[in-house]
Amino acid sequence: MALKLVHVGFGGWGLDWTKVVLDTPEVQTVGVADPNPAALGAARSRYGLPEHACFASLGAALSATDADAVLITAGAAVHAPLALSALAARKHVLVEKPFAPTLAEAQAVVAAAAAQNRVLMVSQNYRFFPAPWAVRALVEEGAIGVVGSVYADFRVDMARRLGSGSAYFALPDPLLLDMSIHHFDLLRFTLGEATEVSCTSWNPHGSPFTHPAVASAAVRLGAGGTVSYRGSWLEGPSTNWAGVWRLEGSRGRLSWTSRNGRDLSGERVTLRGRRLTLPELTRTGRRGVLSTFAEAVATGQEPLSSGRHNLGSLALTLGAITSAAQGRALALAP
Ligand SMILES: NC(=O)c1ccc[n+]([C@@H]2O[C@H](COP(=O)([O-])OP(=O)(O)OC[C@H]3O[C@@H](n4cnc5c(N)ncnc54)[C@H](O)[C@@H]3O)[C@@H](O)[C@H]2O)c1
């Protein structure tokens, strides 16, 4: 039987999620919620739902439906309160990244999920593509020996993509919290935990962003080695969304990139100059996230990118933001 969902939050990304949900037979949307009537109307028509399944708040949706789970695709500021309401009603929760604006809020949600014995997963969809899985396995089996230096670059000219006047330009920490969290999560997925981060961020003259849109970070890895990361919302030519990565090890170089936003043609892993054939994933991107979530609910197993595990990616990201604000390196708790 399909997992019954209440889907909440229908900005551009929440509406885009409706295609993914409709394309995933393991789940079925029984209610939608958004305080903005236009967004709610758009969600209703995407799902083809009757008016009585559409609500101005999550609370109203939870009272009126018999959902098993809540999919939260609202903005980051409301992720934690929405997740806490859903968990209080004993619903499983799948929430978009960034999990929450602070570690304390995210920790409270993780504790609530544990107390209610519910599945809590954060949608870090970049993990669900073939290239990072191949890189993770190669690093783990020592294919390039001891990893010494890693270089990761991300560039997208968002100013040009969005044109003038976009609300996105006013987002707090638009690069580090909204985008680099994907890269920091991939860093942990492929290379293991980080122990220290030192970051500088800035907003160049003429940037349409209110807050820093460019950053450079050095991340020390627990396994040894350091990642040199550069991210920019203001530069082209664009990299793939996952960025371009180069790993220098004692036995050679591994280069990779992933997620071009269209299909799997952007997946590429090169080991010592030879392009590798990548593992096939049955479901990629958000289809993979949603199937994994449904499976975790069915089996009771902790999913990949559970809320508990995602605290590490949030801590690294918020550590980078704090490091940039305070002008010092920050040790990360194990
Ligand atoms: N994983 C990815 O690749 C990816 C891509 C884009 C966006 N995102 C994430 O998706 C989330 C949403 O992004 P967006 O660009 O659509 O945001 P947005 O700000 O455009 O839209 C947010 C929506 O949430 C609704 N909302 C606000 N408070 C609410 C509440 N209390 N209850 C229900 N709905 C509420 C708003 O009315 C709005 O419709 C963000 O966390 C963003 O980081 C992820």
Side-chain angles (χ1 to χ4, degrees):
M1 210 169 69
L3 187 72
K4 285 180 274 181
L5 289 182
V6 162
H7 184 174
V8 51
F10 295 96
W13 193 242
L15 286 173
D16 198 68
W17 257 101
T18 59
K19 288 186 288 196
V20 181
V21 176
L22 288 167
D23 197 29
T24 305
E26 297 97 314
V27 298
Q28 183 205 352
T29 299
V30 296
V32 288
D34 195 304
N36 175 340
L40 190 61
R44 181 187 168 188
S45 90
R46 295 275 183 114
Y47 277 125
L49 284 170
E51 192 154 359
H52 63 78
C54 303
F55 306 89
S57 73
L58 174 62
L62 291 177
S63 310
T65 61
D66 63 345
D68 308 301
V70 175
L71 167 61
I72 302 170
T73 60
V78 292
H79 285 178
L82 289 172
L84 288 171
S85 306
L87 289 165
R90 302 212 74 239
K91 309 300 177 190
H92 304 280
V93 171
L94 173 59
V95 59
E96 255 299 342
K97 51 52 68 177
F99 186 176
T102 66
L103 210 50
E105 284 170 89
Q107 279 163 336
V109 180
V110 170
Q116 296 283 25
N117 195 23
R118 299 290 93 175
V119 172
L120 169 65
M121 180 175 175
V122 180
S123 179
Q124 296 278 184
N125 48 323
Y126 288 34
R127 284 185 176 219
F128 293 78
F129 285 89
W133 282 87
V135 172
R136 176 184 165 98
L138 288 164
V139 169
E140 224 167 62
E141 71 196 35
I144 56 164
V146 179
V147 177
S149 299
V150 178
Y151 302 95
D153 270 303
F154 167 78
R155 294 180 306 272
V156 166
D157 190 346
M158 208 53 159
R160 199 162 163 171
R161 279 174 91 100
L162 294 179
S164 59
S166 168
Y168 192 75
F169 294 141
L171 206 68
D173 299 303
L175 179 79
L176 288 169
L177 188 58
D178 201 55
M179 189 63 222
S180 305
I181 193 160
H182 284 300
H183 307 131
F184 293 148
D185 186 63
L186 287 173
L187 179 158
R188 292 179 62 235
F189 185 59
T190 54
L191 297 162
E193 297 300 334
T195 56
E196 188 189 276
V197 59
S198 175
C199 182
T200 305
S201 66
W202 64 100
N203 205 23
H205 180 73
S207 161
F209 287 89
T210 308
H211 302 283
V214 185
S216 169
V219 181
R220 286 197 192 283
L221 300 170
T226 298
V227 181
S228 170
Y229 170 80
R230 294 187 302 175
S232 175
W233 267 146
L234 297 172
E235 258 182 79
S238 295
T239 60
N240 278 347
W241 288 103
V244 288
W245 295 69
R246 184 156 56 85
L247 282 58
E248 304 287 353
S250 55
R251 294 183 48 222
R253 172 182 295 171
L254 180 61
S255 309
W256 70 279
T257 183
S258 168
R259 190 159 193 263
N260 65 8
R262 295 185 302 278
D263 51 33
L264 296 183
S265 64
E267 303 299 299
R268 181 183 286 261
V269 178
T270 308
L271 175 62
R272 286 186 286 274
R274 190 172 55 88
R275 186 169 176 183
L276 304 183
T277 305
L278 298 182
E280 281 192 19
L281 301 183
T282 40
R283 291 189 180 110
T284 53
R286 285 172 290 163
R287 280 287 318 269
V289 170
L290 203 47
S291 300
T292 301
F293 176 66
E295 194 181 316
V297 171
T299 61
Q301 300 283 315
E302 184 174 2
L304 181 73
S305 193
S306 67
R308 187 186 66 82
H309 180 77
N310 193 256
L311 290 175
S313 300
L314 189 62
L316 173 53
T317 304
L318 295 173
I321 291 169
T322 305
S323 162
Q326 298 182 354
R328 64 183 179 96
L330 222 86
L332 299 162

